Amino acid sequence: MKTFAIKSTGLAPSVLELVNEIENGYLVRIVRKHEDWEDVSEEFMTRELFETCMRTGYIAELSA
């Protein structure tokens, strides 16, 4: 599973994990880490939106 850092201005780091690749996009898990808890959501992201986020630097792949 690939993991990506999400660009943010807050102190809480956020990551995007690719859960599954499907026909026209990806099932992703977004984890927003706070001091005492984590906010986790799973969503569908189109391939076009994912590629735009990569190209603009909004997300960047983390090394393993």
Side-chain angles (χ1 to χ4, degrees):
M1 175 181 344
K2 291 187 178 183
T3 304
F4 300 82
I6 300 173
K7 187 176 183 178
S8 69
T9 58
L11 297 175
S14 300
V15 295
L16 179 143
E17 301 170 345
L18 289 183
V19 176
N20 194 11
E21 184 173 354
I22 50 182
E23 186 176 329
N24 56 349
Y26 303 94
L27 179 60
V28 298
R29 179 179 298 122
I30 299 172
V31 181
R32 293 176 182 88
K33 298 180 182 186
H34 301 276
E35 276 187 43
D36 300 332
W37 56 282
E38 290 184 348
D39 179 25
V40 179
S41 62
E42 288 193 2
E43 302 176 21
F44 172 77
M45 179 180 254
T46 65
R47 190 175 313 277
E48 181 180 4
L49 178 57
F50 180 83
E51 291 170 0
T52 299
C53 289
M54 285 291 293
R55 187 174 54 254
T56 61
Y58 185 70
I59 61 174
E61 187 170 2
L62 296 173
S63 57

